[in-house]
Amino acid sequence: MTRYFRAGIAAATALAALSGCTATSGAADLLRADVAARTVPVSDASALPEVVDATRRLGTVLLGAAKDQNTVVSPSSLAVALSMLTEGARGTSLTELEAALGATGENRRDAFAALRGALLALDGDPRAATGDELPERPIVHLAGQVVINNGFTVNDDFLAALADVYDAGIQHADLASEEGKKLLDAWTDRHTGGLIPESAITPTPDLRLVFQDAILLAARWQTPFLAADTYPRVFTLPDGATVDVDMMSALKTPFAYAEVSGWQAARLPYQEALHADVVLPPAGTDPGAVTPEILAALDHALDQATPAPLDLAMPVLDLQSELNLLDLFPALGVGSVRCEDDGADLSGIALTPGELCVSQAVQQAVLKVDEEGTVAAALTEIAVAEASLPVVTHSLHLDRPYLFTVSHTATGWPLFMAAVRDPRPAAP
């Protein structure tokens, strides 16, 4: 990924080194519940297909939320963060969250433990993922933690569940202060390799705890694109205007190809364990209009397809986005947990009396794609507050808005989705 990282690698490495020296950011300094993370083989997780389908649905809701602009999301990160929140939910809030996640109780826990475990073999140093060159083997780094406000008493069973299922660390901080914000920032920067340098949570006096879930990916294409075949081509924007963007080309390279209801797709494998799907909607259709059913049908068709020569043209990408998830919770089916809806039941989190609810929820995501491969990162944060306080066989030219997804091949778990509406680099 020389195109993107050579200029900024020195600063990112220095920042990571500084973060690693602080008492609040090193992995060794995290307080953990005395519980070993559970190990569940994929074959033993009976609800895994339902959780994968539900995660895909979460992704399509997020993609459809932002019209006429690029949107990069991590359905898997959102699903994990919501599942961590679910460990403290009761009543209607528990019912809504588990419905959104596709499974209940131990079946849900086993599915998330199995999905995380299936990716564990790809774990690596975040700094290696965002270095000057892509790593030889793919890296998928997963990390999660809960930061608890100083003096707030949390249920031990709740913390044990976070360690058991999600291998989540625990830290304490004053979440009303800038020091608390610095702790959230340092963890964010470290586990996203500097791609996302800061937390999106605003310190407030009513905050009681913050969930953070990070995913970082770096992978080389199985068949790299030739830089000599990258040149400007016309891309049609949503409003019909046209712009010239750098597009990579792969002439007659064998890729799996499929069409479903006018949606065209190709599967681009990485060196191992992962693949990207590029999905072109029918002309005049926004990529955010994709449904979970269309994605599932394309996924099945691509699984069955035999790779064949494909004339593929695809833009070089350098995208970033930030979504206010709180506004989308009703569309996700979990509106009751919000403070503004006055129906949250997160009583499983704390031992002390007080009504808890979600006051902030944000996802930041970054996606970089070039001739060598892909680097992506996402951070999902959910802040819980006390409610009583104030609150050539085919051609596929991606020359109009399209989807870009990255999934774990063995399980189909969607790790990243992007609606690319304007592939020009974001302004610095």
Side-chain angles (χ1 to χ4, degrees), residues 260-297:
V260 172
S261 301
W263 294 71
Q264 301 171 266
R267 176 155 294 174
L268 285 60
Y270 294 102
Q271 283 193 330
E272 60 178 280
L274 304 168
H275 64 263
D277 290 344
V278 290
V279 182
L280 188 68
T285 301
D286 185 83
V290 72
T291 65
E293 293 76 19
I294 288 174
L295 286 179

Side-chain angles (χ1 to χ4, degrees), residues 154-173:
V154 179
N155 189 328
D156 284 342
D157 290 341
F158 169 70
L159 293 180
L162 295 184
D164 170 33
V165 181
Y166 316 98
D167 197 24
I170 304 161
Q171 297 199 71
H172 293 80

Side-chain angles (χ1 to χ4, degrees), residues 120-325:
L120 190 60
L122 300 176
D123 194 20
D125 185 345
R127 289 171 295 183
T130 56
D132 205 18
E133 299 291 340
L134 283 168
E136 289 302 316
R137 296 186 66 241
I139 289 177
V140 178
H141 175 69
L142 306 177
Q145 76 163 354
V146 58
V147 179
I148 304 167
N149 193 52
N150 290 338
F152 183 64
T153 306
V154 179
N155 189 328
D156 284 342
D157 290 341
F158 169 70
L159 293 180
L162 295 184
D164 170 33
V165 181
Y166 316 98
D167 197 24
I170 304 161
Q171 297 199 71
H172 293 80
D174 179 1
L175 292 175
S177 72
E178 282 304 310
E179 287 305 309
K181 178 66 162 57
K182 288 179 181 178
L183 185 147
L184 296 172
D185 289 348
W187 189 92
T188 296
D189 178 77
R190 178 170 182 266
H191 288 288
T192 66
L195 290 180
I196 302 174
E198 296 183 359
S199 163
I201 297 299
T202 301
T204 61
D206 59 348
L207 288 188
R208 295 297 173 261
L209 68 159
V210 174
F211 298 93
Q212 291 185 299
D213 181 83
I215 178 171
L216 174 64
L217 174 146
R220 291 177 179 269
W221 299 121
Q222 189 177 92
T223 304
F225 292 78
L226 297 177
D229 291 334
T230 297
Y231 54 90
R233 291 196 185 194
V234 173
F235 187 96
T236 302
L237 301 175
D239 63 3
T242 59
V243 294
D244 288 337
V245 301
D246 285 344
M247 283 206 190
M248 308 179 294
S249 299
L251 299 175
K252 300 181 180 179
T253 303
F255 293 115
Y257 174 88
E259 294 185 37
V260 172
S261 301
W263 294 71
Q264 301 171 266
R267 176 155 294 174
L268 285 60
Y270 294 102
Q271 283 193 330
E272 60 178 280
L274 304 168
H275 64 263
D277 290 344
V278 290
V279 182
L280 188 68
T285 301
D286 185 83
V290 72
T291 65
E293 293 76 19
I294 288 174
L295 286 179
L298 286 170
D299 183 66
H300 177 74
L302 290 168
D303 280 343
Q304 303 300 314
T306 300
L310 178 70
D311 174 10
L312 177 67
M314 179 172 71
V316 172
L317 297 178
D318 186 0
L319 310 179
Q320 57 185 348
S321 62
E322 179 176 315
L323 283 180
N324 181 352
L325 299 175

